[in-house]
Amino acid sequence: MNNYEEFKHRFKLLASKNHHLIVNTLSNIFTMRLIGNKTHGDLAEIGMTEFINQFMYDFKSIHVGKDLFRAKKHEEDIVIIN
């Protein structure tokens, strides 16, 4: 299994066992969007980055979208390290 497939498998397992964590994270993202704070895309990226850092102990995540967008080098907005 490659790294991406392993991450997807672990994320799916976590989400299936702790559905409330996903619901809470998405609720927070969309609630902030409703009150007009940032775009939901950026907020979703930051929310997922923090979700990974808090709940997926084998992985580290860094939100690099702003830095890489300005550099015009990559499309990736989140870097995940196993």
Side-chain angles (χ1 to χ4, degrees):
M1 185 180 311
N2 68 33
N3 291 337
Y4 180 64
E5 292 297 323
E6 180 183 347
F7 173 78
K8 286 192 329 183
H9 173 73
R10 299 278 299 283
F11 183 82
K12 184 177 178 180
L13 184 63
L14 176 67
S16 68
K17 289 185 176 187
N18 297 285
H19 183 72
H20 66 284
L21 296 177
I22 298 294
V23 170
N24 251 359
T25 300
L26 293 176
S27 293
N28 289 338
I29 289 167
F30 291 118
T31 298
M32 292 302 287
R33 175 64 179 142
L34 286 174
I35 62 173
N37 187 16
K38 294 193 72 138
T39 64
H40 66 278
D42 285 342
L43 200 56
E45 293 161 4
I46 293 166
M48 289 309 297
T49 298
E50 292 306 316
F51 179 90
I52 292 165
N53 288 334
Q54 288 182 26
F55 301 114
M56 298 183 75
Y57 61 89
D58 286 346
F59 296 93
K60 177 184 177 188
S61 184
I62 305 166
H63 181 249
V64 295
K66 187 175 182 181
D67 298 331
L68 295 181
F69 175 76
R70 288 190 177 147
K72 304 283 189 218
K73 292 181 180 176
H74 298 284
E75 292 288 326
E76 295 84 4
D77 291 325
I78 300 172
V79 172
I80 300 170
I81 302 161
N82 185 351

